[in-house]
Amino acid sequence: YISAVDYFRTILTKEDLVDSTIFPDGLQTLLAYMNEVYRLKLCYEIIEYKPAKYVNIRRLNSVGINQDDIKDYCKKVYQHNTPTYFTVYSLTKNGFEHPLEDLGFDEWFYSSILVEDKTHFSHRRMGGSRLFKKGRGTVCLIDFIEWILYSIDSLSMDIYDFTDYLSNEYNINLSVFKIMETVSGSSM
């Protein structure tokens, strides 16, 4: 290999499906490795379909999906009657459909696509899912909680009902303790 970056690019793109958890210990902590992962994900050459597992665009091309289809998915999500905060789960639950969903991947794949559209979406990992916000800016749990309470025309909700609501509507699973800790440190 000419360089470490060349090596990283090769191991990340040689196969159609890559499981980076089997790479040598310490590799995933190297800055050059992570930079190459970010670069490949940003141009949709690889897409994370599960944490630390990637599908190459070649595999998607073989079933008729290209980078334009992926960008169209992001565009349609943005143009859809999507609320300020959402998850891929809540999008689907609220009727969003796109031909890309026929691939049969789970939520992580589709959220990985949206993560790379930094022009239209901000995100944060939360409760086993990725929470998105339309536009740029920081995604904060307290802002999300306030947004939910205002959007359901209620300024209060039982904490256990709230955790059920997050799970049922967004597939976000947070502990009662985490929510109480977040709320207690705010004006709420």
Side-chain angles (χ1 to χ4, degrees):
Y1 300 100
I2 297 171
S3 66
V5 171
D6 186 42
Y7 170 69
F8 300 145
R9 185 177 305 118
T10 300
I11 63 173
L12 288 164
T13 62
K14 184 177 180 184
E15 302 294 327
D16 286 350
L17 297 174
V18 174
D19 179 357
S20 67
T21 62
I22 63 170
F23 291 167
D25 289 340
L27 183 69
Q28 293 184 25
T29 61
L30 296 175
L31 183 60
Y33 169 81
M34 290 310 300
N35 284 339
E36 189 59 18
V37 168
Y38 291 139
R39 191 191 69 73
L40 291 170
K41 286 172 32 177
L42 183 61
C43 66
Y44 297 116
E45 193 167 332
I46 62 173
I47 300 169
E48 193 172 31
Y49 67 93
K50 290 191 182 285
K53 296 182 181 187
Y54 307 98
V55 60
N56 194 297
I57 192 67
R58 278 189 316 267
R59 170 66 74 92
L60 300 176
N61 290 160
S62 71
V63 294
I65 303 297
N66 60 39
Q67 289 167 331
D68 289 336
D69 299 315
I70 292 167
K71 290 175 184 174
D72 182 66
Y73 177 79
C74 295
K75 179 182 169 186
K76 293 293 194 294
V77 167
Y78 186 75
Q79 292 174 340
H80 184 70
N81 190 19
T82 306
T84 303
Y85 290 95
F86 66 94
T87 60
V88 170
Y89 179 84
S90 70
L91 277 177
T92 304
K93 186 172 178 157
N94 292 321
F96 178 78
E97 294 179 355
H98 190 275
L100 204 60
E101 295 172 328
D102 294 339
L103 292 173
F105 286 103
D106 65 12
E107 291 175 40
W108 197 262
F109 174 81
Y110 300 102
S111 68
S112 295
I113 291 171
L114 295 174
V115 162
E116 301 309 324
D117 186 352
K118 296 171 186 353
T119 303
H120 295 109
F121 308 109
S122 303
H123 79 283
R124 179 178 177 177
R125 288 175 79 162
M126 185 180 299
S129 192
R130 287 175 171 151
L131 176 65
F132 290 91
K133 178 182 177 183
K134 273 186 157 181
R136 296 182 180 189
T138 305
V139 178
C140 300
L141 178 56
I142 190 64
D143 295 339
F144 178 51
I145 292 170
E146 287 180 13
W147 178 82
I148 287 174
L149 293 176
Y150 283 114
S151 67
I152 59 173
D153 295 328
S154 172
L155 297 179
S156 66
M157 182 185 279
D158 178 79
I159 190 80
Y160 295 101
D161 291 342
F162 189 76
T163 57
D164 289 344
Y165 182 83
L166 286 178
S167 180
N168 294 333
E169 297 298 318
Y170 295 94
N171 196 27
I172 293 176
N173 300 297
L174 295 175
S175 69
V176 169
F177 174 75
K178 176 69 175 169
I179 295 170
M180 288 175 58
E181 178 184 52
T182 301
V183 172
S184 68
S186 75
S187 62
M188 292 181 71

